[in-house]
Structures are given as C-alpha cells and as structure tokens.
Amino acid sequence: MPTSMPDIAHSADALQEGKLDWVGMGNIELPLLLSSKGLNDTPVTAKADAFVSLDREDAKGIHMSRLFLALDSLSCEQTLTPATIRSVLDSFITSHEGLSHSAKVTFHFELPLRRASLLSGKQGWKNYPVMITANLANGRFNLELAVDVTYSSTCPCSAALARQLIQNAFEEKFADQSLDHASVHAWLGTTEGILATPHSQRSVTNIKVKLDEHCQEFDILGLVNMVEDELKTPVQAAVKREDEQEFARLNGQNLMFCEDAARKLKALFEAENYPDYYIKINHYESLHAHDAVAYAVKGLKDGYRV
Ligand SMILES: Nc1nc2c(ncn2[C@@H]2O[C@H](COP(=O)(O)OP(=O)(O)OP(=O)(O)O)[C@@H](O)[C@H]2O)c(=O)[nH]1
C-alpha cells in the first residue's frame, strides 16, 4: 500500500509563529506573449517574481507550486494584459485560502520596438527594459508600468562656454579685417573655427507610472513615444549621415541639464493625469566620473517616494 508523501507546508507546525508580508519566488523564467496597444502580440522572455502574504501566523508555509503553475498557465494559454494579470493574482489568493489575503507579481523583460530614423526613412530595432508590477489586496488592484528610455543630453553650460571660445577665435582671426563673406563661411567649416564642442552623454530616464485599476490595455509604445518626443534626442537605431546631422541639430537645439529633462517629463506626466508617476533622470556625464541625477514624483501622500 503506497504511503502518502509528507506535506510539510500543510502539516508541519511553524518553527516560529508570525505573519509575513510576502513569501514566494523570484526570477522565474517565463516566456510571455505581451499584448500592448499599437503592437502585434509580442513574445518576450520575462523574469517573474510571484508572492502572496502569509497572514496565518501558525502556518508552516505557502504552496509555491500553485503560484508557479498559475504563471505557467498565463505563459502557455494567455496573452499578458491587465485582465490576465488580475486573474493570476486572484488565483494566487484563492489557491491560498485561509493563508493569504494579498498577492503581487512582477514581470521584467526587454521589449523590442521598431524605431524610425530621423530623416532617411530607415527603421531599426531598439530594446526597452520594461517592468510590469501588480498587486491585489482586499479586492484593490494596483497596476504599475515602468520603462527605461535612453537619450542623449548636451550640457547647456558647456555649450555656452564653447560658443565663447568660438567668438574669441573669430575675434583673433578676423580682428581689424574687412569681413569677407566667403572666408568667414569657409572658416566656420573648419575645426579651427568651431574649435570647441559642448560635452554630451548617453542618459537614461527610469519612469514608473501607476495605471488606472480599470485599465484594459497596456500602451507601452504610447508611453515611449510620448517621452522620446518630449526629450527630442533619444538614442537612434538606423542612422545615415542625414540622420546624424539632424541628431546634431536636435542636440544643439535641445540643450539639457538633468533638471531640464526632469521638469519636461514632470510637466508631461502632470498633463497626462496619471494616477501617480516617478521619474529618475541619469545623465552619465562625459565631463565627470559621476552622474548628474534628478528625481520627480507626483507627491501623493501614499504615492511614489524618491
Ligand atoms: N513554502 C515553501 N515551500 C518551499 C520552500 N522551499 C522549497 N519549497 C517546496 O515547494 C514545494 C511546493 O510546495 P507545494 O506547492 O505545497 O507542493 P505540493 O504540496 O506538491 O502541492 P499542493 O498539493 O498543491 O500543496 C514543496 O516541495 C516545498 O518543499 C520554501 O522556502 N517555502
């Protein structure tokens, strides 16, 4: 007569009694089919973190396989949408009847998006790090979308200092001469003329937006487009020389301290009326060995903190 297997999580007493905020698994490998506005359903390779609260003080443990198998069904049978995430969290809680009142899940993945070049009409892929976090507690569903957008920032102070050097060089070159249009024009096209350029650097904004709890559809493309249109100088995918020249113009016409970038996005997100938002600006300075950093949040009492 086969004996039944011991079920420690079910039968054993807790070594030490007490509630736990979250118990579960981290870094679960999970292929998903993402559904997001403006995109074909996109296969992504995600890492998932899955948790329930342990509210019964004398319970030995949760049932991890139940969380794992609920995520496996999401991966194999459904697309990733706000509704399917909510139903996964529902199943986390119902599969832990009497043990858990709350559940949360996080999906981290890279989303490949087709990006158009500035002028040449070419296209190329760019990957965007995305994190979707959801939790369900006492019937309240919270959903958050986080994305990183990489761009170029050119320093306004450095640009002013470079312009001064160019003016000084002009004085030196053409002092006490009648100005000949052609020779000035030629001089401006030389490194002797434009003898200084401002420093610019690759920069990343980490963005988190709280989505409405009745949100039906992710719009990751819309969020990325809105941020890149506002910053004007996202790093490029396909670049021909005409694109590179336009990129140089955009950098020259959109000089940005980290404060400027943060204020631009704060104003944008205020206008978009997100329930809450978090912005971190990282300028990985080419002038310094350290970064220039700025933060902005909506400032709600129970909202994002910096
Ligand atoms: N709760 C908990 N389980 C763990 C941990 N480490 C490993 N496990 C194992 O997770 C496995 C899955 O637990 P359960 O989901 O309860 O597995 P099960 O009893 O076969 O499934 P059910 O019949 O649905 O309860 C068990 O074999 C546990 O030993 C841990 O730190 N905490």
Side-chain angles (χ1 to χ4, degrees):
M1 166 70 165
T3 53
S4 72
M5 290 180 289
D7 185 354
I8 296 294
H10 196 75
S11 57
D13 294 335
L15 291 181
Q16 181 103 27
E17 293 200 352
K19 291 186 179 185
L20 295 174
D21 295 293
W22 297 113
V23 182
M25 296 160 282
N27 290 320
I28 301 167
E29 293 159 349
L30 200 67
L32 291 166
L33 192 58
L34 170 74
S35 168
S36 186
K37 188 176 177 184
L39 300 175
N40 296 328
D41 287 351
T42 307
V44 294
T45 303
K47 288 279 180 82
D49 305 330
F51 291 92
V52 289
S53 55
L54 183 52
D55 300 297
R56 218 184 80 200
E57 309 208 10
D58 62 348
K60 175 67 178 172
I62 68 162
H63 301 284
M64 294 197 175
S65 67
R66 299 179 192 177
L67 309 185
F68 184 92
L69 294 173
L71 287 179
D72 190 64
S73 304
L74 172 67
S75 169
C76 300
E77 298 157 21
Q78 297 174 300
T79 56
L80 188 71
T81 68
T84 57
I85 291 173
R86 174 154 191 163
S87 67
V88 162
L89 292 177
D90 273 326
S91 72
F92 282 10
I93 292 174
T94 48
S95 70
H96 282 75
E97 191 72 37
L99 288 179
S100 310
H101 302 311
S102 311
K104 73 172 177 175
V105 70
T106 300
F107 302 103
H108 308 246
F109 54 88
E110 296 262 325
L111 178 60
L113 293 178
R114 292 296 285 169
R115 307 311 279 164
S117 62
L118 290 169
L119 293 181
S120 65
K122 305 300 181 194
Q123 290 234 335
W125 290 106
K126 243 180 22 172
N127 264 2
Y128 291 81
V130 173
M131 185 166 76
I132 294 172
T133 301
N135 66 57
L136 184 62
N138 306 316
R140 278 303 303 264
F141 178 57
N142 272 303
L143 188 57
E144 170 195 290
L145 171 61
V147 64
D148 294 349
V149 174
T150 306
Y151 61 100
S152 163
S153 64
T154 300
C155 175
C157 176
S158 180
L161 295 169
R163 290 195 297 269
Q164 186 187 46
L165 288 176
I166 292 165
Q167 286 176 312
N168 297 346
F170 178 83
E171 280 303 313
E172 228 169 275
K173 174 81 179 172
F174 296 101
D176 313 327
Q177 286 180 36
S178 60
L179 282 187
D180 162 45
H181 182 283
S183 51
V184 174
H185 184 268
W187 179 79
L188 286 170
T190 66
T191 49
E192 179 212 351
I194 310 301
L195 77 168
T197 57
H199 76 268
S200 60
Q201 50 274 330
R202 192 178 296 167
S203 306
V204 175
T205 179
N206 314 118
I207 288 157
K208 286 188 253 186
V209 289
K210 191 75 89 196
L211 301 178
D212 183 278
E213 68 170 310
H214 304 297
C215 168
Q216 297 301 311
E217 184 182 38
F218 291 121
D219 184 5
I220 303 171
L221 180 62
L223 178 58
V224 166
N225 286 342
M226 186 174 72
V227 168
E228 291 194 346
D229 290 350
E230 184 61 26
L231 292 174
K232 305 275 190 308
T233 53
V235 293
Q236 298 294 301
V239 173
K240 306 291 282 181
R241 270 172 295 125
E242 60 196 292
D243 303 315
E244 184 163 6
Q245 189 172 54
E246 175 61 4
F247 191 71
R249 188 189 68 77
L250 286 167
N251 274 272
Q253 297 306 301
N254 295 280
L255 303 169
M256 274 187 276
F257 274 154
C258 65
E259 296 95 327
D260 300 313
R263 283 174 173 141
K264 281 183 171 197
L265 296 187
K266 181 178 173 71
L268 183 70
F269 287 1
E270 283 293 332
E272 279 300 309
N273 253 334
Y274 282 111
D276 200 2
Y277 60 78
Y278 164 101
I279 299 159
K280 184 184 177 193
I281 297 291
N282 310 273
H283 286 190
Y284 303 122
E285 293 289 310
S286 57
L287 170 64
H288 313 285
H290 55 263
D291 309 332
V293 180
Y295 291 88
V297 292
K298 195 175 180 91
L300 301 178
K301 192 169 75 60
D302 301 326
Y304 290 127
R305 290 265 168 279
V306 291

